[in-house]
Amino acid sequence: MRSVALTVGGTAIGEGRTWAYPNGFALGEFLIPIYRLTVAGTDNGGKPMKEAFSVFRFGVQSKDGTTASVVGLADPQTYVIKSWIPTYIVHSASTTENGAWQVYASFLIHDGPDNDTELFATIGCVEIMGFRGFSKFNDLLISLMAPPGTNRDQKLASIGGSGQLSITYQAATRPTLKKRS
């Protein structure tokens, strides 16, 4: 199996809508930065390949339903992906793109909004954006890594347990809490 390196950029490339998870829906909408996540590996012919996705990196959290704060990983850091969690279901929005990659503890990589009309919340997970974005991301990993397995689920599980998938978070300035007007 070939290795793949994921890099989450530290410079915002746009803004997206969110709400304060898990108890702050009544607080209204907030704006959070969108970042670029680059997937780098080699194809079956040994040619280096890179592809970029738009992602949420930071989120807004409200535990008490009255206050909110920005959360997420701002410091530069690198992790080897721990596992593929096939049973993970996004909690803050409706999606059919289930499953998640465990970075560490409860920090995950999973599906995010397909377009500007979808409202997802996050508390620091990397959320892959774009129409069927998480499915395309996973298809790319399978293509670049060539994992063993006879079906998609087995291939994703093989990647998750391989130690060959890593993610680097570039340093980023933690965004200020920004209410959507």
Side-chain angles (χ1 to χ4, degrees):
M1 187 178 326
R2 296 184 297 268
S3 64
V4 163
L6 309 174
T7 304
V8 182
T11 303
I13 60 168
E15 280 187 322
R17 301 165 38 236
T18 192
W19 58 278
Y21 188 82
N23 298 315
F25 193 80
L27 297 175
E29 294 182 17
F30 297 87
L31 293 173
I32 53 174
I34 297 169
Y35 295 87
R36 180 164 280 114
L37 175 124
T38 304
V39 179
T42 54
D43 68 11
N44 288 334
K47 178 183 172 190
M49 301 288 293
K50 279 190 177 181
E51 191 167 327
F53 293 83
S54 295
V55 299
F56 285 151
R57 172 182 177 161
F58 294 98
V60 179
Q61 185 174 43
S62 176
K63 293 179 181 179
D64 61 10
T66 59
T67 60
S69 61
V70 174
V71 294
L73 302 175
D75 295 335
Q77 49 205 292
T78 300
Y79 298 95
V80 172
I81 299 299
K82 303 289 186 275
S83 67
W84 168 250
I85 307 168
T87 57
Y88 180 82
I89 297 172
V90 172
H91 306 295
S92 68
S94 178
T95 179
T96 59
E97 295 176 79
N98 296 320
W101 298 100
Q102 184 184 29
V103 176
Y104 84 93
S106 62
F107 286 92
L108 308 173
I109 303 168
H110 60 72
D111 191 33
D114 284 354
N115 56 55
D116 292 341
T117 65
E118 289 190 333
L119 186 63
F120 276 61
T122 177
I123 50 174
C125 291
V126 172
E127 293 192 2
I128 308 289
M129 303 173 80
F131 180 72
R132 306 279 310 149
F134 190 56
S135 294
K136 291 175 185 173
F137 173 79
N138 289 331
D139 289 345
L140 179 61
L141 294 180
I142 290 170
S143 171
L144 292 176
M145 297 183 77
T150 58
N151 60 47
R152 181 180 179 83
D153 290 337
Q154 289 176 357
K155 290 177 182 185
L156 293 171
S158 293
I159 291 170
S162 71
Q164 296 296 308
L165 180 60
S166 65
I167 184 167
T168 297
Y169 295 77
Q170 293 180 340
T173 302
R174 185 174 305 281
T176 58
L177 187 63
K178 186 175 180 182
K179 186 87 165 144
R180 183 170 182 242
S181 52

